[in-house]
Amino acid sequence: MSIATERNPEVEEGVAVKRILHITGAMNRGGTETMLMNLYRKLDKTKWQFDFVSYSKDHAAYDKEIQAMGGRIIHITHPGSLTEHIKAIKHNGPYEAVHAHTLFQCGIALAAAKMAGVKNRIAHAHTTMDHADTFVRKTYMHAMRRTILMLSTERLACSKAAAVYLFGKEASFLFLPNAIQWEGFLKNEAERAELRKELGLEQSFVVGHAGRFIPAKNQQFLIKLFPEIKKRNPNAKLLLVGDGDLRGELENQVLQSDYAKDITFLGLREDMESVFQTFDVFAFPSIYEGLGLVLLEAQAAGKKCIVSEAVQPEADLKLGLISTVSLSDEKRWVEEVLHSEAAQVSKTDIERAFINERYSVQQALDQLLNIYQREETRHEKAVNRYV
């Protein structure tokens, strides 16, 4: 058994605070992890602290920032080990709550939290599909769902579909919006001009995408459509932001095509607020999706978004920026991308939408802190907006 904790001793001393343990796998720049960082940055560190369990030996993108703010990165060698989770919780606690984000594996974390004496045990649903194509996997999912329902004191979800997938159709849950610091994404012509010049895109029609390079995000679909987009608009460029297992394969595919100069892989970026300014249209052809945090960022930037039918309705801020197109209709995808007129949405409308839909960081943080302070399960009293 191997458990290691990384912490910053310079911010470790002082008045005791209430600590929350988040089970995420690794704090890289994914949607769930970015949402947690948005909340963590806003957190009053004199009263609360977040720690994070990592199942990776490697340092993740957000690790240094977490440690600088007083959080701990707790490395667990075996994700399926109940014993390792119990030891990590007891050694680094006490914890006000254990908050698990790892789909069906949440059952392991919640069982460990229960055995370690943690009163508040939260399972959080973030996606709508898994690779459940074997009997063994389906059996595991069934067992973990039962464990989650039995041991969680609260169940959260970013969308109704995500809740149904993880918890089942009959289970109660609370809707916790995926919060972003939307103010930084508002339209900024100076940033747009500067970055487009830096990237050589001054006269280009830029089709943008941001997401982890995994099958679910379906970047392959955009690469497949791009020749027709380019044929119809010679100034078209495709900008792909992110990293992941499929990136190398897709880069090699593009390099061997006639469009190597027109399709750019930007990798991971820390200036996503500026990157969104460069796009003329945002394309998001996911095969499955819990919500899609980047869609909130794109709407905050006032960008027209062409999305697949997998995108959940909760992601639409009702600003008239979302167009849903079936992945089976490639011709219509091309048409929608090419004829996406510049959106005319005011900053006031965007601000009102985020507040009305409860996607602001402060609103989500207030809701979450209230949940963390509960002393017992309140499923029977949960306000379920979908009932």
Side-chain angles (χ1 to χ4, degrees), residues 89-328:
I89 294 169
K90 287 185 173 181
H91 177 73
N92 294 282
Y95 288 109
E96 197 75 11
V98 169
H99 188 162
H101 306 267
T102 49
L103 201 57
F104 290 98
Q105 196 270 349
C106 285
I108 301 292
L110 297 184
K114 173 72 172 177
M115 296 177 73
V118 180
K119 291 184 178 180
N120 293 315
R121 304 175 300 275
I122 302 159
H124 201 148
H126 294 279
T127 192
T128 58
M129 190 175 292
D130 192 20
H131 301 293
D133 53 355
T134 67
F135 174 77
V136 173
R137 181 63 181 171
K138 290 179 180 179
T139 302
Y140 168 81
M141 289 167 57
H142 178 72
M144 286 296 101
R145 180 180 288 122
R146 288 174 60 89
T147 302
I148 290 167
L149 295 179
M150 181 171 59
L151 297 181
S152 61
T153 58
E154 193 58 87
R155 298 184 285 270
L156 307 178
C158 64
S159 67
K160 183 177 181 180
V164 169
Y165 184 66
L166 183 57
F167 308 132
K169 294 181 180 179
E170 305 301 323
S172 64
F173 70 97
L174 285 174
F175 172 60
L176 183 74
N178 280 357
I180 68 167
Q181 203 69 42
W182 53 269
E183 297 90 342
F185 290 89
L186 293 173
K187 186 176 181 180
N188 187 317
E189 289 293 349
E191 285 188 3
R192 174 180 169 87
E194 181 180 351
L195 190 52
R196 283 173 70 99
K197 182 178 181 180
E198 178 185 323
L199 297 173
L201 300 171
E202 294 164 285
Q203 305 301 319
S204 300
F205 173 73
V206 180
V207 181
H209 170 86
R212 190 173 297 174
F213 281 81
I214 56 175
K217 298 303 181 184
N218 203 20
Q219 290 93 347
Q220 175 70 56
F221 182 80
L222 296 179
I223 293 171
K224 178 183 178 182
L225 294 187
F226 186 74
E228 182 61 26
I229 295 171
K230 182 72 174 178
K231 178 181 177 182
R232 302 272 298 277
N233 185 340
N235 292 323
K237 302 287 185 181
L238 178 59
L239 211 55
L240 300 173
V241 186
D243 203 356
D245 295 341
L246 294 180
R247 180 181 170 185
E249 177 184 329
L250 293 177
E251 281 187 305
N252 288 334
Q253 177 184 329
V254 170
L255 286 172
Q256 295 174 26
S257 73
D258 296 328
Y259 302 95
K261 294 182 180 180
D262 299 309
I263 301 177
T264 301
F265 293 77
L266 275 187
L268 293 174
R269 301 279 299 206
E270 296 184 3
D271 60 341
M272 286 304 298
E273 296 90 341
S274 298
V275 170
F276 271 101
Q277 303 299 324
T278 69
F279 300 159
D280 291 298
V281 59
F282 185 71
F284 202 58
S286 295
I287 296 172
Y288 60 87
E289 192 67 54
L291 184 101
L293 190 77
V294 290
L295 280 175
L296 302 180
E297 296 171 344
Q299 289 173 91
K303 303 303 175 182
K304 185 71 174 180
C305 304
I306 315 302
V307 307
S308 71
E309 64 272 39
V311 169
Q312 302 306 311
E314 289 90 343
D316 189 348
L317 294 176
K318 302 176 179 63
L319 290 165
L321 297 175
I322 300 285
S323 292
T324 303
V325 183
S326 171
L327 291 174
S328 64

Side-chain angles (χ1 to χ4, degrees), residues 335-374:
E335 293 295 331
E336 290 284 344
V337 166
L338 288 170
H339 296 101
S340 296
E341 299 178 359
Q344 301 298 321
V345 182
S346 71
K347 292 182 180 180
T348 300
D349 288 339
I350 292 172
E351 177 180 8
R352 185 181 299 116
F354 272 93
I355 293 173
N356 288 347
E357 298 298 317
R358 295 188 290 152
Y359 281 115
S360 75
V361 172
Q362 191 60 59
Q363 286 172 304
L365 184 59
D366 289 345
Q367 183 182 357
L368 200 53
L369 293 181
N370 285 334
I371 293 170
Y372 289 156
Q373 296 178 86
R374 292 176 180 172

